[in-house]
Amino acid sequence: MFFSLYTLSTEIYLNEIIALLFWKLSIIIWIASISMLSIIQIFIIKFKRITSIPSIIYAFVGGIIISLTILSNSIDIFQASGDYYYEFNNLILLIILIIYNMGVFSFMWFNLISNLSNFRDNKSGRNLGLLTFHFSLIILLYTLHLITQNIIFRYMYYIIYLMGAIFASYTILKKPTLFIELTNRVFDFIIFHKSGILLYSFSFETGKETDDSLLKGSILIGINHILANFIDRKDQLNLIKMKDRDLVFEYDNTHDYAILLTMNHKNTFIDKAVRNFMLKFSNLNGEKLKNMKGLIDVSEFRNAKELIAEFFAPYIITQ
């Protein structure tokens, strides 16, 4: 909406009143959109550690800008060289708008740089960095155009915006889950039978299967807790809170097995992925699980790796 109004407001085939209205609306939508994108960036990086302070600041300062923008004499329109140009009669409006843009710009880079070491993989961090760079560049170009009204900055904005929009659309369409909470990590994925037999174990940190001799003490505590409380529970994800991570587990009492995940913290994406995994795993291995007795060949359950890649792809670390 901003791009459309921003572009149309400079076209002289429109009535001056309509063009000025479009220009003012574009400023209002700009404030709302960059605030929203900044909050989204914070959310996918920090998730549970996010605070309401940025939203309050954005709403307060953005409200001042919008109030000054809608005043009838805040901005003048004039025609030159076949285009409409705009002059801010209210210098306070222009100054606050510039400060707002630079504040969002600075906060986004601070948020990105201060959390780089917490990203679960380098590829996601690079992609978010590229999108942040693009977003920052269009903020700078738009700000320069507001100040100078130079047509070169406007055309540069068009080019950079369209290039970035194509890149962002391609990146997100190719992998919609790419930016699912970048700083949350899953460490271990374990499947075990009610009898205590380990059926399958996968490490998200190494991207490889593991065996029971490599399982950490905190995980074994969680498994023992599960086995001691393996009762009839349905449609309920269970959680053990450890000092530095969460242990999430789910039962399948029909087939007498359970899965356990260790991670920084549980979220709704993991809830859904766990349920989808168990549904497909039970369909594929239901008969094997029901007929388990005597000597068990756990290699039959290695099809779990494909299901993990299917449902937990954002958490599989890639360099």
Side-chain angles (χ1 to χ4, degrees), residues 168-216:
S169 300
Y170 172 78
T171 301
I172 294 172
L173 287 174
K174 184 179 179 182
K175 193 174 182 181
T177 59
L178 182 64
F179 300 119
I180 296 292
E181 195 188 343
L182 296 182
T183 53
N184 190 27
R185 297 185 181 184
V186 176
F187 302 106
D188 299 283
F189 188 103
I190 304 165
I191 309 173
F192 53 93
H193 190 257
K194 182 178 181 179
S195 62
I197 298 172
L198 178 69
L199 302 179
Y200 185 82
S201 179
F202 180 84
S203 171
F204 281 79
E205 294 178 284
T206 63
K208 298 179 181 178
E209 299 170 357
T210 57
D211 57 55
D212 54 353
S213 64
L214 299 177
L215 297 181
K216 300 176 182 178

Side-chain angles (χ1 to χ4, degrees), residues 103-167:
V104 173
F105 173 94
S106 301
F107 186 70
M108 288 185 66
W109 278 106
F110 171 79
N111 190 47
L112 177 69
I113 294 171
S114 62
N115 288 280
L116 276 177
S117 61
N118 297 324
F119 288 164
R120 62 174 172 262
D121 65 86
N122 294 334
K123 183 177 180 181
S124 297
R126 285 195 301 268
N127 284 331
L128 184 63
L130 286 173
L131 290 175
T132 302
F133 175 76
H134 163 255
F135 188 32
S136 302
L137 193 55
I138 65 173
I139 290 177
L140 289 175
L141 291 172
Y142 176 66
T143 303
L144 288 171
H145 182 238
L146 285 177
I147 298 171
T148 66
Q149 289 294 302
N150 191 313
I151 195 171
I152 294 176
F153 292 125
R154 177 155 58 90
Y155 284 139
M156 287 178 66
Y157 175 90
Y158 292 158
I159 295 170
I160 298 299
Y161 172 86
L162 292 173
M163 288 174 60
I166 293 171
F167 168 74

Side-chain angles (χ1 to χ4, degrees), residues 11 33 44 79 100 172 201 206 230 259 264 275:
E11 300 297 329
S33 62
I44 64 175
Q79 183 178 337
Y100 188 87
I172 294 172
S201 179
T206 63
F230 210 113
I259 67 171
N264 287 350
R275 292 190 174 95

Side-chain angles (χ1 to χ4, degrees), residues 41-314:
Q41 189 220 32
I42 299 170
F43 182 79
I44 64 175
I45 292 177
K46 293 189 174 183
F47 192 64
K48 284 192 173 183
R49 293 178 290 123
I50 190 172
T51 68
S52 59
I53 294 177
S55 300
I56 294 172
I57 295 174
Y58 289 160
F60 177 74
V61 181
I64 294 175
I65 293 172
I66 291 171
S67 299
L68 293 174
T69 300
I70 61 178
L71 295 175
S72 60
N73 61 343
S74 59
I75 302 172
D76 273 345
I77 183 173
F78 61 93
Q79 183 178 337
S81 304
D83 285 303
Y84 283 133
Y85 293 84
Y86 299 89
E87 181 179 0
F88 285 82
N89 292 327
N90 191 329
L91 290 180
I92 295 177
L93 169 60
L94 179 59
I95 292 170
I96 296 177
L97 185 54
I98 293 170
I99 293 173
Y100 188 87
N101 288 347
M102 293 302 97
V104 173
F105 173 94
S106 301
F107 186 70
M108 288 185 66
W109 278 106
F110 171 79
N111 190 47
L112 177 69
I113 294 171
S114 62
N115 288 280
L116 276 177
S117 61
N118 297 324
F119 288 164
R120 62 174 172 262
D121 65 86
N122 294 334
K123 183 177 180 181
S124 297
R126 285 195 301 268
N127 284 331
L128 184 63
L130 286 173
L131 290 175
T132 302
F133 175 76
H134 163 255
F135 188 32
S136 302
L137 193 55
I138 65 173
I139 290 177
L140 289 175
L141 291 172
Y142 176 66
T143 303
L144 288 171
H145 182 238
L146 285 177
I147 298 171
T148 66
Q149 289 294 302
N150 191 313
I151 195 171
I152 294 176
F153 292 125
R154 177 155 58 90
Y155 284 139
M156 287 178 66
Y157 175 90
Y158 292 158
I159 295 170
I160 298 299
Y161 172 86
L162 292 173
M163 288 174 60
I166 293 171
F167 168 74
S169 300
Y170 172 78
T171 301
I172 294 172
L173 287 174
K174 184 179 179 182
K175 193 174 182 181
T177 59
L178 182 64
F179 300 119
I180 296 292
E181 195 188 343
L182 296 182
T183 53
N184 190 27
R185 297 185 181 184
V186 176
F187 302 106
D188 299 283
F189 188 103
I190 304 165
I191 309 173
F192 53 93
H193 190 257
K194 182 178 181 179
S195 62
I197 298 172
L198 178 69
L199 302 179
Y200 185 82
S201 179
F202 180 84
S203 171
F204 281 79
E205 294 178 284
T206 63
K208 298 179 181 178
E209 299 170 357
T210 57
D211 57 55
D212 54 353
S213 64
L214 299 177
L215 297 181
K216 300 176 182 178
S218 60
I219 299 175
L220 294 176
I221 293 172
I223 292 176
N224 290 331
H225 178 89
I226 292 172
L227 294 176
N229 297 277
F230 210 113
I231 58 177
D232 187 20
R233 299 182 184 180
K234 297 181 179 179
D235 300 324
Q236 179 181 345
L237 275 171
N238 301 278
L239 177 66
I240 301 175
K241 299 290 290 185
M242 307 298 289
K243 181 178 180 180
D244 58 349
R245 63 188 61 185
D246 289 352
L247 274 66
V248 173
F249 56 92
E250 176 66 287
Y251 310 99
D252 185 329
N253 291 285
T254 302
H255 300 97
D256 290 335
Y257 77 94
I259 67 171
L260 182 142
L261 293 86
T262 62
M263 66 200 68
N264 287 350
H265 55 261
K266 182 171 74 74
N267 60 31
T268 54
F269 179 89
I270 291 174
D271 287 356
K272 183 178 179 181
V274 167
R275 292 190 174 95
N276 289 336
F277 174 91
M278 295 190 73
L279 179 63
K280 198 162 184 178
F281 183 81
S282 297
N283 289 337
L284 290 174
N285 302 292
E287 291 301 317
K288 301 174 191 174
L289 291 164
K290 286 182 179 179
N291 299 323
M292 281 184 61
K293 56 184 176 180
L295 187 62
I296 299 170
D297 182 8
V298 295
S299 65
E300 295 180 351
F301 300 99
R302 286 184 176 172
N303 53 16
K305 186 173 183 178
E306 297 177 2
L307 303 184
I308 291 173
E310 178 180 351
F311 297 114
F312 294 89

Side-chain angles (χ1 to χ4, degrees), residues 12-32:
I12 60 172
Y13 59 78
L14 292 177
N15 179 277
E16 284 192 2
I17 297 176
I18 295 177
L20 181 58
L21 175 63
F22 281 2
W23 177 260
K24 289 187 174 184
L25 285 175
S26 72
I27 293 175
I28 294 172
I29 294 173
W30 168 265
I31 293 299

